[in-house]
Amino acid sequence: MWVKLSRFILQNRIAIIVFFVLGTIFMAYQAKNVKLSYTGSKILPVTDSAFVKYNAFKKTFGEDGSVMVVGIQSPDIFKKKYTTNGFSFLMIFRN
C-alpha cells in the first residue's frame, strides 16, 4: 500500500503541488471574509438564571469585554490599612 501511495505521489508531484498552491491561494483569498465574533454561543436558554444574571450585569456595566470586577468581602475594607494606596487592596488576596 505504501509503495503504491509513494509511487502515485512521485508520478503526480507537479499536479499535487499545483493543487496545494491553488488551494492555498483560494484559502488566502477567502480569508478576507473572516469575521471575528465576540458574542457567546447561544447554548443557554433565555430563561436560565446564569444567563439572566449575565444580561443584568451587561445592562448595568455595559459590554463585558474590558471590565474586570473584583469582589471583596471584608469588614475591614474601609479601614486605613486597606485604603493607604491604590494597590493595598491586593494585600487582601495574600491571606
Side-chain angles (χ1 to χ4, degrees):
M1 180 183 123
W2 292 111
V3 173
K4 289 181 181 180
L5 178 64
S6 62
R7 187 175 298 132
F8 174 79
I9 291 172
L10 289 174
Q11 288 176 349
N12 299 305
R13 63 183 172 266
I14 301 298
I16 293 172
I17 291 172
V18 168
F19 172 76
F20 279 108
V21 168
L22 290 176
T24 302
I25 290 170
F26 175 74
M27 293 297 177
Y29 177 74
Q30 291 298 318
K32 68 181 173 109
N33 298 326
V34 172
K35 294 189 177 27
L36 295 176
S37 173
Y38 298 102
T39 60
S41 62
K42 306 295 183 199
I43 59 173
L44 292 176
V46 180
T47 57
D48 185 67
S49 64
F51 190 68
V52 170
K53 289 177 186 177
Y54 174 71
N55 283 334
F57 173 84
K58 281 183 26 176
K59 186 176 181 182
T60 303
F61 297 106
E63 289 299 318
D64 60 341
S66 62
V67 175
M68 183 174 90
V69 178
V70 177
I72 299 172
Q73 184 176 4
S74 173
D76 301 328
I77 191 69
F78 295 108
K79 291 187 178 175
K80 187 174 180 178
K81 76 175 193 173
Y82 291 106
T83 57
T84 304
N85 61 37
F87 295 107
S88 63
F89 71 92
L90 294 175
M91 298 304 291
I92 296 169
F93 298 115
R94 289 189 180 184
N95 295 335

